[in-house]
Amino acid sequence: MRAAQFFAPHLPYAVAVTGSWITDADGSKVFDCANNSFSLVHGHTFPPVIEALHKVLDNGTVLDNGTAFGLPTTSETKLAEAITTRSPKLEQVRFTSSGTEAVMFAIKAARAITGAR
């Protein structure tokens, strides 16, 4: 249970979602301001996101269009090139599997750049 999303007398139990609205098990519609801690900035079931996922998942080329490998892929390379093109001061891009890893690498990079221990 996420304490930030608890409302007395019990945690709402989601049974349906559309956009920014969640319908709970009691039939109440709740506006989702948490958006899964902001990972769902477009809301739930946003049609362009669903269409993009189908393009990737329905294509059938696993290595170019899978969802998670832990190894570099051509899709990651293209994304890294797009990011560095838009931000010329970035020389490298490091993809991570979680926010925890991203913060860990950011701290390591900051220590390396500043010489801090």
Side-chain angles (χ1 to χ4, degrees):
M1 173 184 79
R2 298 176 186 166
Q5 296 172 352
F6 178 79
F7 299 98
H10 55 79
L11 184 68
Y13 190 91
V15 295
V17 292
T18 303
S20 295
W21 293 95
I22 297 173
T23 304
D24 69 14
D26 296 330
S28 300
K29 279 198 166 191
V30 180
F31 186 74
D32 184 10
C33 294
N35 292 322
N36 198 37
S37 300
F38 300 106
S39 67
L40 296 171
V41 296
H42 297 297
H44 303 272
T45 65
F46 187 57
V49 171
I50 299 298
E51 290 168 19
L53 284 169
H54 276 291
K55 277 185 187 176
V56 169
L57 298 173
D58 296 343
N59 188 332
T61 351
V62 175
L63 282 179
D64 281 340
N65 296 311
T67 57
F69 298 104
L71 300 169
T73 64
T74 56
S75 298
E76 286 182 354
T77 303
K78 289 176 187 175
L79 178 57
E81 289 170 350
I83 292 169
T84 55
T85 299
R86 288 174 175 81
S87 302
K89 293 193 182 234
L90 290 176
E91 295 176 5
Q92 295 181 358
V93 174
R94 172 83 182 228
F95 293 108
T96 62
S97 299
S98 68
T100 300
E101 282 184 32
V103 170
M104 178 185 71
F105 285 118
I107 291 169
K108 287 181 178 184
R111 285 181 176 165
I113 291 167
T114 64
R117 290 246 173 232

